[in-house]
Amino acid sequence: MEQQLEQLKQEALQKIETAASVKELNDVRVAYLGKKGPITDLLKGMGKLPAEERPKMGALVNVVRETVTTSLEEKMELLEQQAVNEKLEKETIDISLPGRPVKLGNHHPLTRVVEEIEDFFISMGYEVAEGPEVEQDYYNFEALNLPKGHPARDMQDSFYITEDVLLRTHTSPVQARTMAAKKGEPIKIICPGKVYRRDSDDATHSHQFTQIEGLVVGEDIRMSDLKGTLALFAKKMFGEEREIRLRPSFFPFTEPSVEMDISCFKCGGSGCNVCKKTGWIEILGAGMVHPNVLEMAGYDPSIFTGFAFGMGPERIAMLKYGVEDIRHFFTNDMRFLSQFNRTEV
Ligand code: DAH
């Protein structure tokens, strides 16, 4: 019987050793220690032994049972630990994987151009003024020497809201508003902002676009001041070698009125596709503030004079960056906008 016991023990320990999972181990436990297992059988069979052998055999069976039990518990702990380790390994995060790139926003190309223009004029001592986009007919037209029925109103097809209120067609009403507010004080401002016209959208027209207005009013402000200012501006925006020329023009709020061209920055004046073979590119409208405009705003035209100018940043941006369609500025296609990610533009 002792031999039988030893063999059982060896067998059990062997199976415990080779058990590869918690389930297999449990099967071993049930097989050897369970109620119907061989060890229990042996204990049950003790009654048939002679009385003097029983204590010795009982102790032996117990030792075997404890050895198998301890071995089972140790193996169980090991298997459980292995299971935890495997799980941990599967769940590890690979910190060497590159992160997902975060897309950074950047300034819209138009914003860049407007800010560049603002910076130039601020460095010349100008202040930045703003006015409403929903404007009174009075400031948009009347105070700018464009009374009702004036034919030049047709030059700017307008979105009227009521008979007297419209979406401003240019930034020039900010001139009239600023003069009315300053009540006879000298003025040196630029006014950037959105303007609206009842135009059909195409490559060079948009029903909404941007303008930057300029106005200087003081004693003894002359046409030569306007010319010097615009020449410096042209060099700042389009390169040191730029020359300007002023052509006579007409605006109701300036007298005399001019249009300013710059020498072509692409061909230098010899003629190319950018300047349409003329060597010159039209950039803005300007002139000396009309005495009627000064007078309506409460400035005495015999003491005060002034100059004004108005330009379209879209046109300047299109020329500077070679953009062929004004609608690119408003459709927000990332393929267009992301070309201006570079910090130097
Ligand atoms: N307001 C004019 C326009 O929208 C542009 C302009 C021309 C503004 C001459 C001025 C100026 O201040 O002097 O067409």
Side-chain angles (χ1 to χ4, degrees), residues 156 170 172 175 197 211 213 251 253-254 285-287 308-310:
Q156 303 183 357
H170 51 178
S172 304
Q175 286 189 31
R197 291 199 193 165
Q211 280 194 338
E213 192 82 12
F251 300 103
F253 29 90
T254 44
F309 54 85

Side-chain angles (χ1 to χ4, degrees), residues 285-300:
M288 299 307 290
V289 180
H290 197 291
N292 287 355
V293 173
L294 287 169
E295 211 165 345
M296 273 187 278
Y299 283 77
D300 181 348

Side-chain angles (χ1 to χ4, degrees), residues 74-90:
E74 280 171 10
K75 181 74 191 218
M76 184 63 88
E77 210 168 291
L78 193 80
L79 284 178
E80 278 170 359
Q81 190 60 46
Q82 267 175 11
V84 170
N85 285 347
E86 263 169 40
K87 201 171 172 209
L88 281 177
E89 207 149 292
K90 266 193 222 145

Side-chain angles (χ1 to χ4, degrees), residues 277-322:
K277 308 251 183 287
T278 64
W280 295 94
I281 302 171
E282 186 192 322
I283 294 290
L284 52 77
M288 299 307 290
V289 180
H290 197 291
N292 287 355
V293 173
L294 287 169
E295 211 165 345
M296 273 187 278
Y299 283 77
D300 181 348
S302 66
I303 303 170
F304 286 95
T305 49
F307 68 73
F309 54 85
M311 63 181 102
E314 280 89 350
R315 177 166 167 74
I316 293 175
M318 285 169 87
L319 287 168
K320 254 190 108 149
Y321 302 132

